Amino acid sequence: MPETLRLSADPDGIARAAALLRAGGLVAFPTETVYGLGGDAADDRAVARIFEAKGRPRFNPLIAHVADLAMAERLAVFDDWARAVAAAFWPGPLTLVLPLRADAGLSPLVTAELPTVAIRLPAHPVAQALLRAFGGPLAAPSANPSGKVSPTRAEHVVEGLSGRIEAVVDGGACAVGVESTILGLDGAPALLRPGGVPVEALEALLGAIATGGDAKKPNAPGQLASHYAPGAAVRLNAVAVHPGEVRLGFGPGAADLNLSPAGDLVQAAANLFHMLRQADALAGPGGTIAVAPVPEAGLGRAINDRLRRAAAPRG
Ligand code: AMP
Ligand code: MG
């Protein structure tokens, strides 16, 4: 990929950034918390590339950024409490976890197949301008390589991700510098991550808020019980196929379904969640899905992590 473009935060820069996003590109942009690494939240390939660019070893759920409440309500079910919180704190550094709408149209990589979606309406004028120009939700984790510090300046983004993303919109330094507060509102209010909005401010509106997720929440690594588990058995690193098995391929060779005939990990990640479901339907109850080996490198680590969860014994 060519060098990462540095775009100015003026109407021309915003228009170019929106065009890159519409073409499936990745564009980092400033929010009031940190720089986000944005991609079209409805585009499997763009979202897969976010994981690749960051070098994330796991498909954890991403926050969907929206331009306005109407866009948010197309993604999630808002009750009166959620509307009251949104009215009080949006735009701002607050992410709400709400029930996902069946017709939300998001890539399953954004929600990691959870029945909920994390949504934020940022206050930063450049983030808002970009979201309006793009016209749809942007999946955007922090714009840093996995395990590194979150970026609060365009230079930080370039240092970490240059050559891995199409562009960064330079909006200067971020004001808050810490991540958004994440509030779970899919049940009793729960603080899933402290951040830019103090919990006391939320409690003034909602009353006492439980801290920390529960076992059903994915905010701690490994707590992915709500992930879709195939009904069929899953056999990993299957070099040969046994009679009656459904072959989920990777790379050249005969297969019922192929994550990527060309052996492209981004394509495989983009197809993974859809094809696991298709393979499960083909295999039927009592059947087996034989998954071809996927290299344990780059995005392959996240793919294999998801496949191992699919293959794990279930009680
Ligand atoms: P980041 O990667 O910095 O954007 O952080 C995203 C955070 O949002 C992570 O802590 C995720 O676990 C959390 N998150 C995203 N979607 C959900 C969800 N549906 N339920 C609970 N937490 C979520
Ligand atoms: Mg981060």
Side-chain angles (χ1 to χ4, degrees):
M1 169 186 312
E3 210 182 309
T4 298
L5 278 175
R6 201 145 158 170
L7 300 171
S8 52
D10 56 17
D12 180 55
I14 298 289
R16 290 173 68 189
L20 287 168
L21 288 164
R22 256 177 243 121
L26 301 184
V27 177
F29 60 94
T31 77
E32 68 273 30
T33 58
V34 302
Y35 273 74
L37 174 52
D40 181 351
D43 179 342
D44 292 316
R45 192 178 168 83
V47 182
R49 285 193 54 217
I50 291 176
F51 287 91
E52 185 197 40
K54 286 183 65 82
R56 275 204 176 167
R58 222 171 251 119
F59 293 117
N60 43 356
L62 304 178
I63 297 170
H65 291 64
V66 296
D68 50 39
L69 188 61
M71 200 184 276
E73 295 212 24
R74 286 197 286 276
L75 305 180
V77 181
F78 281 69
D79 64 9
D80 290 345
W81 285 110
R83 285 207 185 86
V85 174
F89 294 98
W90 278 359
L94 177 67
T95 296
L96 299 182
V97 173
L98 295 166
L100 176 68
R101 282 181 61 127
D103 58 354
L106 294 174
S107 166
L109 289 167
V110 173
T111 51
E113 304 178 303
L114 293 162
T116 53
V117 57
I119 309 180
R120 174 150 108 83
L121 201 174
H124 198 292
V126 175
Q128 288 197 359
L130 181 61
L131 284 159
R132 276 197 304 272
F134 177 66
L138 291 175
S142 52
N144 52 280
S146 186
K148 296 280 162 49
V149 186
S150 295
T152 53
R153 292 174 177 274
E155 296 88 88
H156 302 163
V157 177
V158 172
E159 274 162 34
L161 297 175
S162 186
R164 307 178 70 84
I165 64 176
E166 273 69 22
V168 53
V169 182
D170 190 347
C174 299
V176 178
V178 298
E179 265 108 352
S180 62
T181 301
I182 305 183
L183 178 67
L185 283 180
D186 51 322
L191 184 72
L192 302 180
R193 178 176 77 186
V197 168
V199 66
E200 291 80 3
L202 296 169
E203 287 187 322
L205 183 69
L206 293 168
I209 295 173
T211 303
D214 62 44
K216 297 199 297 295
K217 298 279 194 295
N219 48 320
Q223 293 183 333
L224 295 161
S226 353
H227 265 175
Y228 169 73
V234 177
R235 197 162 66 80
L236 300 180
N237 298 309
V239 181
V241 194
H242 305 157
E245 287 184 335
V246 170
R247 172 70 160 174
L248 180 57
F250 175 82
D256 299 289
L257 294 156
N258 200 321
L259 292 168
S260 172
D264 170 11
L265 290 167
V266 173
Q267 185 183 27
N271 283 332
L272 180 64
F273 291 179
H274 301 288
M275 285 193 175
L276 269 180
R277 280 188 152 76
Q278 289 171 331
D280 195 20
L282 280 178
T288 299
I289 306 166
V291 188
V294 175
E296 186 75 20
L299 256 186
R301 287 185 299 154
I303 294 171
N304 283 319
D305 174 71
R306 180 67 187 88
L307 287 171
R308 280 191 292 271
R309 289 171 199 282
R314 292 175 285 274

